[in-house]
């Protein structure tokens, strides 16, 4: 419970506003801090204490039970460190939302293809009657979904490395690891640090969960059941030559005739999305539609 707690939020953008509204709903006293001027705070939820022009010097004086960081702010920078000095716990908006969401999460990460895959998962979930909001790094902030009067039974949650840095308890029943390549080297000191942030998607999964992983990816031993997909290895659980998608001896989709998706990269995205939704028990004909 956040009743009687002080929640400080960094960043007055859409994620910060959603986090503020959620913390207010859960009974917290909420303050929102941003380096921008007052114009950035227009339309803030009523009851949120706003602090434009926030500096590191000011941050060092702020005491909070919970510090919530928006994904665009460098988790490891001196600005966050100043506000974190007197904070009980430091998390991100996605983690805050996850603590108040009772449905099932399909979480998607990768250097390339995340958004297409997230949208495909969302559309399959929606067609299956599970709601399936696309949220996180694509779509709407996860906290906005949780604030809805009627929350979906499952969400398609795109997670960037920035968002994964600040999770603690977020638990996907299905995770998707699409691929990995060096990126965001302006934020991370090494490629290994970027990869370590990405790998956190598996952190809270158990043997009862599923990880959907592209064949050939170098990963540590994972607790969840692993389902593979490939455009080069016909022995993978899901295989495509770029035209047909096959699983367990069955042609699941003919990309050329059933979809507008073309190319090996889109075959990979489609296989990942279908494998993840199959893990939730969605039948093949529903996914094909």
């Amino acid at each position: 419970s956040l009743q009687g707690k002080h929640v400080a939020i960094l960043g007055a953008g859409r994620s910060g506003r959603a986090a503020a509204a959620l913390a207010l709903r859960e009974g917290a006293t909420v303050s929102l801090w941003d380096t921008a001027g007052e114009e950035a705070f227009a339309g803030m939820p009523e009851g949120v204490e706003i602090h434009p022009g926030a500096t590191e010097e000011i941050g060092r004086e702020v005491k909070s039970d919970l510090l919530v960081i928006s994904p665009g702010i460098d988790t490891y920078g001196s600005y966050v460190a100043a506000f974190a000095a007197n904070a009980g716990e430091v998390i991100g908006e996605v983690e805050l939302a996850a603590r108040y969401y009772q449905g099932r999460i399909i979480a998607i990460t990768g250097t390339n293809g995340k958004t297409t895959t997230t949208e495909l998962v969302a559309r399959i979930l929606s067609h299956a009657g599970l709601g399936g909001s696309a949220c996180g790094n694509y779509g709407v902030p996860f906290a906005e979904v949780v604030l809805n009067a009627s929350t979906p039974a499952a969400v398609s949650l795109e997670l960037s490395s920035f968002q994964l840095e600040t999770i603690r308890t977020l638990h996907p029943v299905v995770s998707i690891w699409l691929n990995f390549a060096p990126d965001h080297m302006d934020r991370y000191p090494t490629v290994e640090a970027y990869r370590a942030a990405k790998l956190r998607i598996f952190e809270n999964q158990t043997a009862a969960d599923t990880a959907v992983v592209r064949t050939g990816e170098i990963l540590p031993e994972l607790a969840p059941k692993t389902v593979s997909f490939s455009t080069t290895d016909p022995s993978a659980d899901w295989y495509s030559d770029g035209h047909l998608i096959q699983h367990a001896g069955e042609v699941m989709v003919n990309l050329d005739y059933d979809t507008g998706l073309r190319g090996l990269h889109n075959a990979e995205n489609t296989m990942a999305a279908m494998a993840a939704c199959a893990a939730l028990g969605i039948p093949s004909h529903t996914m094909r539609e």
Side-chain angles (χ1 to χ4, degrees), residues 78 121 223 230 244 246:
S78 58
V121 169
S230 179
L244 303 178
Q246 301 177 67

Side-chain angles (χ1 to χ4, degrees), residues 6-11 31-36 41 49-70 73-91:
H6 173 211
V7 176
I9 295 167
L10 294 189
S31 62
L32 201 150
W33 309 75
D34 199 297
T35 56
F41 293 81
E49 204 181 277
I50 65 168
H51 297 273
T55 63
E56 289 183 25
E57 290 71 28
I58 291 170
R60 280 190 280 271
E61 303 302 317
V62 177
K63 294 182 179 179
S64 63
D65 297 292
L66 185 66
L67 178 66
V68 181
I69 306 167
S70 297
I73 300 173
D74 185 355
T75 309
Y76 303 112
S78 58
Y79 187 71
V80 167
F83 282 87
N86 292 302
E89 186 183 17
V90 180
I91 62 171

Side-chain angles (χ1 to χ4, degrees), residues 142-278:
F142 192 12
E144 283 190 18
V145 175
V146 176
L147 282 163
N148 289 338
S150 177
T151 56
V155 293
S156 179
L157 180 64
E158 179 180 318
L159 292 172
S160 69
S161 59
F162 303 161
Q163 290 164 317
L164 285 164
E165 287 170 8
T166 51
I167 68 164
R168 297 290 180 272
T169 62
L170 187 144
H171 179 187
V173 294
V174 184
S175 60
I176 297 176
W177 178 281
L178 291 167
N179 47 58
F180 179 82
D183 200 7
H184 301 299
M185 290 298 100
D186 55 333
R187 175 142 165 175
Y188 293 101
T190 63
V191 173
E192 289 72 23
Y194 169 54
R195 186 170 179 271
K198 287 282 195 190
L199 285 170
R200 298 197 70 198
I201 194 170
F202 305 117
E203 198 166 275
N204 297 313
Q205 288 196 289
T206 70
D209 302 318
T210 301
V212 177
V213 176
R214 187 176 74 149
T215 296
E217 292 293 308
I218 300 170
L219 298 173
E221 186 174 345
L222 303 178
K225 173 190 174 184
T226 301
V227 175
S228 61
F229 65 93
S230 179
T231 56
T232 59
D233 182 3
S235 67
D237 297 311
W238 292 74
Y239 171 72
S240 178
D241 59 359
H243 303 283
L244 303 178
I245 288 178
Q246 301 177 67
H247 171 62
E250 178 187 352
V251 173
M252 305 295 282
V253 168
N254 184 321
L255 291 169
D256 298 334
Y257 293 99
D258 299 334
T259 81
L261 296 163
R262 298 292 180 267
L264 291 175
H265 64 293
N266 275 324
E268 290 186 342
N269 297 335
T270 306
M271 285 188 287
M274 294 184 76
C277 292

Side-chain angles (χ1 to χ4, degrees), residues 20-51:
L22 179 56
L24 275 178
R25 189 191 77 178
E26 296 302 321
T29 298
V30 180
S31 62
L32 201 150
W33 309 75
D34 199 297
T35 56
E38 288 192 22
E39 67 282 354
F41 293 81
M44 198 60 62
E46 187 178 346
V48 176
E49 204 181 277
I50 65 168
H51 297 273

